[in-house]
């Protein structure tokens, strides 16, 4: 799925005549940012679930 999310970005950069270095950097950022977002979502979900379990056990 990550390949499909960066493909439009690469197409726009190539049509605009950007250098290969700029395209590579944007592709790397386009891959890193979704992964970081998924990791953040997983951490938040885990903390929320742990907090809910702790409240049930306490109450």
């Amino acid at each position: 799925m990550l390949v499909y999310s960066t493909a439009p970005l690469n197409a726009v950069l190539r049509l605009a005549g950007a250098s290969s270095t700029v395209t590579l950097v944007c592709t790397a950022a386009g891959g890193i940012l979704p992964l970081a977002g998924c990791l953040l979502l997983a951490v938040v979900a885990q903390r929320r679930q742990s907090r809910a379990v702790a409240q049930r056990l306490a109450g």
Side-chain angles (χ1 to χ4, degrees):
M1 294 300 284
L2 198 56
V3 173
Y4 296 119
S5 68
T6 58
L9 176 65
N10 287 338
V12 170
L13 290 172
R14 288 184 182 160
L15 288 173
S19 69
S20 60
T21 304
V22 171
T23 304
L24 180 64
V25 169
C26 289
T27 302
I32 291 170
L33 290 176
L35 290 175
C38 288
L39 181 62
L40 179 63
L41 181 64
V43 168
V44 169
Q46 179 66 31
R47 285 187 179 183
R48 190 174 217 189
Q49 184 178 10
S50 295
R51 199 173 294 153
V53 169
Q55 286 178 351
R56 285 183 189 157
L57 291 176

